[in-house]
Amino acid sequence: MKDQLLKLRDEALAAIAGVSDAGAIQEMRVRYLGKKSELSRVLGGLGKLPTVEERRAMGALGNEIKQAITQALDAREAELAAAELEARLAAERIDVTLPGAPVRRGHLHILYQVIHRIEEIFIAMGYEVAESRQVETDWYNFEALNIPKGHPARDAQDSLFISDEVLLRTHTSNTQIRYMLEVAKGRTPVKIICPGRVFRRDFEDATHAMMFHQVEGLVIDKGITLASLKGALTEMARGLFGPDVGIRLRPSYFPFTEPSAEMDISCIFCGGKGCRTCKGSGWIEIGGSGMVHPNVLRAGGYDPEEVSGWAFGYGPERVAMLMYGIEDIRHFVTGDMRFLRQF
Ligand code: DAH
């Protein structure tokens, strides 16, 4: 029996040493140590040995062999697992020195870059950025701004009505009223800059769009005059176009301001000498402005005997077009990546 056992041990150890696949180890455990293994079968014959000493000796040898085989299996299994890991690490190694696959990074739309620039200029002067709704009632868009129903001033803003009382706002001036009534509620000072989308029933061409943007400004406090309007606008123009640009206020008419003024900037192309872009005048019109009409202050819950204010509104598309030499307003919305990627 001893020879049989030793032979079994040598066979098993040789087989284990030769195995090269971690999956086969489990099979070997069954084959060499399982209930139906040769070893179990031989040891099953222990009881038939003639003496107690022999049984004890063979039993002990059997256990030693089982242990030796178990150890060999465990060791080989660990070796194979380590080799496998090694191989995987080698195969799946990432070369961090290779250049990466480029990820194309997007950027803010050019118009919003300009709008943010405008916001920054005013934030630096202590203004708050305020926004309000694009779908608006007739009252906020017109009536509260001193444009009653049937007033001829409505003709200047071809509107997209949704119902008799609801329309897509034609200008950001609705934000003046919304801010006064909903946010400021009579407090002073009010200093806001209001960017946003506006809508007109217009035929589209290089300078007209159905949807475009405006930036509205509003200041209300005791003793506010046109001088501070001119100061704020000058600061804005310089922040956008550089330190040499000037502002001109030209008498005009808007229902919501009195007096009213068109605001012009000195021509950024010829420096005011007169060129084709400014049609020889040296000035470029960019928007409207004026002292807030007493009726508008009243609609917003302010007493025009106590406070005064100024407001302005203009299109950032026009500013962006001047700044970057963009010749057609429709470029902003057509989504042509060749256009958008330039900026
Ligand atoms: N709301 C005017 C428009 O869309 C622009 C404007 C003019 C706004 C004068 C103002 C202002 O706040 O004071 O044509």
Side-chain angles (χ1 to χ4, degrees):
M1 186 181 245
K2 184 173 178 185
D3 290 347
Q4 254 182 322
L5 285 173
L6 292 176
K7 190 167 159 249
L8 272 175
R9 182 194 66 185
D10 294 344
E11 264 176 34
L13 292 181
I16 291 165
V19 77
S20 61
D21 161 19
I25 295 280
Q26 193 47 32
E27 276 167 43
M28 293 202 154
R29 258 184 228 283
V30 176
R31 173 148 22 118
Y32 294 116
L33 299 171
K35 284 203 190 88
K36 291 180 187 150
S37 64
E38 193 65 9
L39 187 61
S40 295
R41 200 186 56 74
V42 173
L43 290 173
L46 272 181
K48 290 185 194 126
L49 291 173
T51 65
V52 179
E53 285 75 35
E54 264 179 290
R55 275 181 242 151
R56 204 174 271 157
M58 285 308 111
L61 180 61
N63 279 338
E64 260 170 47
I65 289 174
K66 270 189 197 168
Q67 256 179 32
I69 293 176
T70 304
Q71 265 171 24
L73 282 166
D74 290 349
R76 189 71 189 134
E77 189 170 37
E79 245 172 63
L80 289 173
E84 216 166 81
L85 179 64
E86 195 71 11
R88 265 184 59 190
L89 285 176
E92 295 173 11
R93 182 162 56 203
I94 296 168
D95 183 349
V96 294
T97 65
L98 283 175
V103 176
R104 185 162 235 146
R105 207 169 141 191
H107 65 269
L108 210 56
H109 190 285
I110 180 58
L111 182 62
Y112 278 81
Q113 292 180 38
V114 171
I115 290 174
H116 284 198
R117 179 83 198 99
I118 295 166
E119 288 176 9
E120 278 166 12
I121 293 168
F122 280 95
I123 287 169
M125 293 192 281
Y127 286 63
E128 185 186 339
V129 177
E131 291 185 346
S132 71
R133 46 195 85 185
Q134 296 174 10
V135 180
E136 191 52 282
T137 64
D138 188 273
W139 191 80
Y140 282 97
N141 195 81
F142 291 129
E143 286 179 64
L145 289 161
N146 200 33
I147 317 174
K149 287 204 166 89
H151 193 285
R154 289 199 178 200
D155 294 350
Q157 300 192 357
D158 279 329
S159 316
L160 292 157
F161 273 90
I162 292 166
S163 68
D164 281 352
E165 289 301 324
V166 179
L167 73 158
L168 298 181
R169 71 173 174 190
T170 54
H171 49 186
T172 44
S173 305
N174 67 327
T175 316
Q176 294 189 27
I177 307 296
R178 290 238 170 235
Y179 189 90
M180 283 191 273
L181 290 178
E182 292 167 8
V183 185
K185 297 177 179 160
R187 114 174 115 59
T188 51
V190 169
K191 286 173 80 178
I192 54 170
I193 182 89
C194 326
R197 288 189 173 173
V198 301
F199 307 82
R200 300 275 175 102
R201 192 162 44 82
D202 245 335
F203 289 104
E204 303 213 323
D205 61 24
T207 53
H208 295 84
M210 299 260 291
M211 187 282 292
F212 55 101
H213 293 70
Q214 284 188 345
V215 177
E216 190 91 7
L218 173 70
V219 166
I220 301 171
D221 205 350
K222 285 196 165 70
I224 294 294
T225 67
L226 275 177
S228 94
L229 169 64
K230 192 160 185 189
L233 292 178
T234 303
E235 197 65 23
M236 177 192 79
R238 289 184 180 160
L240 288 172
F241 297 106
D244 299 328
V245 173
I247 276 279
R248 178 176 76 170
L249 296 176
R250 193 158 37 85
S252 182
Y253 169 76
F254 297 103
F256 28 85
T257 42
E258 180 57 37
S260 305
E262 302 290 344
M263 54 171 166
D264 300 339
I265 56 166
S266 60
C267 181
I268 54 171
F269 299 101
C270 64
K273 286 199 268 310
C275 66
R276 266 177 53 193
T277 309
C278 61
K279 301 190 186 88
S281 74
W283 297 94
I284 299 175
E285 183 185 320
I286 64 165
S289 62
M291 297 304 293
V292 180
H293 194 287
N295 287 349
V296 175
L297 286 172
R298 266 185 225 112
Y302 286 84
D303 180 354
E305 300 298 325
E306 289 212 341
V307 296
S308 57
W310 53 251
F312 68 78
Y314 66 90
E317 274 92 346
R318 178 143 171 73
V319 169
M321 288 167 85
L322 288 170
M323 282 170 87
Y324 294 98
I326 298 164
E327 80 290 355
D328 193 318
I329 197 171
R330 290 167 293 194
H331 284 319
F332 291 114
V333 289
T334 47
D336 187 334
M337 295 303 280
R338 292 169 307 176
F339 169 76
L340 295 171
R341 283 199 186 114
Q342 293 178 85
F343 309 103

